[in-house]
Amino acid sequence: MGWSWVQIVKDSGFLNSIATYKCGIIHDWPSSLRAEVAAIYAALSASPANSVVYIYTDSQSSIESLKHCFLFDYSDSRLYYKTTNFELWAIIQKLIVDKNLSVLPFKVKAHSNFYWNDFADSLANTAHTSEDAVLISRLDLAAVHDYILNYDDVICKSNLRHL
């Protein structure tokens, strides 16, 4: 599954000014939501500390889950374990706190000819053939918790009640 993010230069005076972009792939339990979450994680990882980050996504589920990351006790609550991709969301929450980021999510209608969303989608679709694609590794998951639930050497990333 591919993911991507695009950083644009706001108010540069030039149409479609791209500062930078990145794409990558995920393994183990791929899904479209996991790809969206991976893109948010990668974008926030590349963001400088004490900055304001505007995230435009066509995933309402990602926006709702991202709002939970703003809660101080999110990773200690029951809601955390009921959230899909809870490990990545916990890492995102830690990133937001550690870097003192202000994250503002915005909903973009999917497949509506919104240039930046279409560009990010095309990057994600070609990530598996890109030489510059980044693989989000298992090591990233070890940063948040003292334990990682796995079965047969595969990390379990689903709701534990449904496992």
Side-chain angles (χ1 to χ4, degrees):
M1 207 68 198
W3 57 264
S4 69
W5 58 265
V6 179
Q7 180 186 8
I8 60 170
V9 180
K10 189 176 179 183
D11 301 326
S12 67
F14 300 102
L15 184 62
N16 302 335
S17 297
I18 297 175
T20 188
Y21 62 88
K22 202 61 166 168
C23 64
I25 53 177
I26 55 172
H27 290 288
D28 299 332
W29 310 95
S31 71
S32 59
L33 177 59
R34 186 163 177 73
E36 293 279 350
V37 178
I40 292 170
Y41 165 67
L44 294 178
S45 295
S47 299
N50 303 312
S51 61
V52 178
V53 181
Y54 298 91
I55 294 180
Y56 293 85
T57 179
D58 57 11
S59 170
Q60 186 63 39
S61 180
S62 292
I63 290 173
E64 295 303 319
S65 295
L66 187 58
K67 288 178 182 178
H68 291 303
C69 290
F70 304 143
L71 303 174
F72 178 71
D73 61 347
Y74 168 64
S75 62
D76 295 327
S77 69
R78 287 187 67 201
L79 174 63
Y80 165 74
Y81 292 103
K82 292 182 177 183
T83 304
T84 305
N85 299 308
F86 59 87
E87 302 92 346
L88 276 175
W89 286 119
I91 293 169
I92 288 171
Q93 181 191 35
K94 184 172 177 8
L95 216 52
I96 290 170
V97 171
D98 290 351
K99 288 186 163 189
N100 193 29
L101 299 174
S102 295
V103 181
L104 304 170
F106 294 94
K107 175 75 167 97
V108 175
K109 188 175 178 183
H111 311 293
S112 62
N113 294 326
F114 182 71
Y115 179 79
W116 298 117
N117 191 52
D118 293 345
F119 182 69
D121 283 347
S122 69
L123 285 173
N125 290 335
T126 60
H128 63 281
T129 59
S130 173
E131 293 180 10
D132 297 330
V134 175
L135 173 65
I136 293 185
S137 70
R138 294 171 173 229
L139 296 175
D140 294 332
L141 297 175
V144 176
H145 299 290
D146 295 332
Y147 61 90
I148 297 174
L149 180 63
N150 63 39
Y151 175 77
D152 198 21
D153 203 33
V154 175
I155 297 174
C156 301
K157 297 178 175 72
S158 65
N159 184 329
L160 296 178
R161 293 181 179 198
H162 295 46
L163 183 62

